[in-house]
Amino acid sequence: MNPIDLRSDTFTLPTDEMRRAMAQAEVGDDVYGEDPSINQLQERAAQLMGKEAALFMASGTMSNLVATLTHCHRGDEVVMGEQGHMFWNESGGAAALAGVQIRLVPNDDQGRISPDDLAKVIRPRGNIHFPPTTLVCLENTHNRCSGGVQTPEDTKRVADVAHAAGVKVHLDGARIFNAAVALEVPASALAEDVDDVSFCLSKALSCPVGSLLCGPQEFVEEARRWRKMVGGGMRQAGVLAAAGLVALDTMIDRLADDHANARRLAQGLANIPGLRLDPERMPTNIVIFEVDEAVAKGPEFIRALLQAGVKVTYPGQQSIRMVTHRHVSSQDVDEALARVSGVVRGLRGARKAGS
Ligand code: TLP
């Protein structure tokens, strides 16, 4: 049985066109700023995000860390949503390496944070007992909030509160093109009101490696030093940038197919008794649902899915994540639904027989 891999869009493989471009890429030493392919990609990224400059990074995690290092000093406070990827999934890098304290505020079902909640937690200046609030981190699309999207207006409302208090805003836009496609707006509109934005090439855009951190020239120059310090100064990295340039030309519009497949998947899952989700709240390529304990405990459910040839991840006790991407067709979605349905029936039957 062919496994259907819904663990992440990070599993996407480079296209033949990317591999050809990588083989032929013009390269130089990027630590000296002399890699023409990297320079071209950085210019293209800055232009797409409506920012002055951009910097090629090894990963989304490195972009988020370097943004934090660039904006903050040790002992500062950084505000983010309680479901933020930077809080959950980046090995505590902001605390361990940037030395900042993280203050969490609630996320809504699209991953938004409320401007009022933000206003309440920004520290008043001038009190030596308080860590200064220097950065707010947003995420669009929002990974742990089922690929939720924030409109340019949502982002502006929060950024206005931050900026009025002299606080910078970083946007983790690892999947910003998914948000742009879902909302039918240019990615630059989603980044307009933030100080800097990072996006990934190695998720649904199918590149093997890479992320871009985009912002004002001065910020990017400073970020370049921090990138070097954390070991991210790569040399003939143009072989990677070449794939990135192909991705930006060929991989963005097709994200709509992943979204349509995710919708089909979410609607199908919602019809399986014992699984709980609201398909209307999942606008992009990430589907998260809860499995009733009456069906199985989370880990047991995942083992059964794996045996039935459906690979998923596990963001919480009873919650399961499925991500659609370029290697998942609508037929795969139907097949995955049939397999999940069979697993649920089997587990329920086994429970009944055992009780
Ligand atoms: N997310 C990965 C896992 O870490 C969970 C995934 O499979 O979705 N920001 C966001 C919003 C992300 O989803 C990710 C990766 C990152 C940053 C980090 O990117 P990488 O993996 O390139 O360091």
Side-chain angles (χ1 to χ4, degrees):
M1 187 181 3
N2 237 2
I4 301 169
D5 199 338
L6 299 168
R7 283 175 296 174
S8 186
D9 46 10
T10 60
F11 284 88
T12 47
L13 302 174
T15 62
D16 290 344
E17 193 182 348
M18 286 179 193
R19 288 176 187 271
R20 276 195 299 275
M22 291 172 81
Q24 290 159 10
E26 261 191 81
V27 295
D29 191 330
D30 182 49
V31 171
Y32 287 75
E34 289 180 15
D35 187 303
S37 303
I38 290 278
N39 291 341
Q40 196 187 336
L41 176 64
Q42 289 176 165
E43 272 165 39
R44 183 85 201 283
Q47 177 215 332
L48 279 169
M49 294 297 140
K51 301 293 178 202
E52 281 174 9
L55 194 59
F56 186 70
M57 296 280 179
S59 66
T61 301
M62 184 181 276
S63 281
N64 288 335
L65 173 64
V66 167
T68 309
L69 286 163
T70 308
H71 284 301
C72 305
H73 293 108
R74 295 180 69 77
D76 286 0
E77 192 162 76
V78 175
V79 182
M80 65 185 73
E82 65 198 1
Q83 297 301 329
H85 191 275
M86 288 177 69
F87 177 69
W88 278 86
N89 291 93
E90 298 183 13
S91 310
L97 302 175
V100 297
Q101 168 165 299
I102 291 180
R103 181 95 180 256
L104 297 175
V105 291
N107 281 121
D108 72 6
D109 65 11
Q110 292 300 299
R112 290 176 287 232
I113 65 172
S114 107
D116 290 343
D117 288 341
L118 174 61
K120 279 184 211 144
V121 301
I122 291 178
R123 308 275 188 166
R125 295 276 155 138
N127 183 330
I128 61 157
H129 299 88
F130 292 155
T133 311
T134 44
L135 184 64
V136 175
C137 298
L138 305 178
E139 192 176 315
N140 198 8
T141 67
H142 202 291
N143 188 336
R144 292 179 62 87
C145 296
S146 305
V149 293
Q150 291 157 62
T151 64
E153 296 72 32
D154 293 332
T155 303
K156 182 173 183 336
R157 274 192 286 275
V158 176
D160 283 351
V161 170
H163 290 148
V167 176
K168 301 282 188 197
V169 183
H170 162 67
L171 173 60
D172 174 354
R175 296 186 179 83
I176 198 167
F177 292 111
N178 292 84
V181 166
L183 291 165
E184 298 181 353
V185 296
S188 58
L190 299 172
E192 191 172 337
D193 289 290
V194 300
D195 295 277
D196 77 276
V197 54
S198 55
F199 72 87
C200 286
L201 297 168
S202 59
K203 303 203 161 51
L205 300 188
S206 293
C207 286
V209 179
S211 164
L212 276 301
L213 180 63
C214 316
Q217 188 73 44
E218 205 181 324
F219 166 84
V220 168
E221 281 317 310
E222 185 67 6
R224 186 183 293 281
R225 190 176 76 87
W226 286 111
R227 183 186 69 171
K228 187 76 182 72
M229 197 184 297
V230 297
M234 293 180 279
R235 304 293 177 173
Q236 286 73 30
V239 287
L240 303 173
L245 286 162
V246 173
L248 294 178
D249 284 337
T250 60
M251 290 288 128
I252 295 176
D253 292 345
R254 64 151 307 285
L255 296 175
D257 298 343
D258 297 346
H259 299 174
N261 281 335
R263 196 171 176 78
R264 187 184 183 97
L265 181 64
Q267 282 165 343
L269 290 167
N271 288 331
I272 300 177
L275 307 185
R276 265 174 292 124
L277 69 158
D278 177 357
E280 299 308 314
R281 285 170 30 190
M282 304 181 183
T284 59
N285 68 332
I286 300 180
V287 175
I288 297 180
F289 62 93
E290 296 281 313
V291 56
D292 277 351
E293 282 202 36
V295 175
K297 294 266 191 215
E300 184 191 353
F301 187 61
I302 291 186
R303 269 195 304 277
L305 287 180
L306 191 59
Q307 270 166 11
V310 180
K311 295 182 170 182
V312 300
T313 55
Y314 182 47
Q317 289 226 315
Q318 289 298 115
S319 55
I320 309 292
R321 184 183 84 156
M322 295 180 169
V323 183
T324 56
H325 52 77
R326 193 166 62 84
H327 307 312
V328 176
S329 65
S330 59
Q331 289 86 336
D332 292 332
V333 167
D334 293 343
E335 176 59 27
L337 285 168
R339 291 181 191 178
V340 175
S341 179
V343 164
V344 172
R345 267 199 315 275
L347 287 166
R348 276 184 182 281
R351 290 234 155 173
K352 255 198 203 132
S355 64

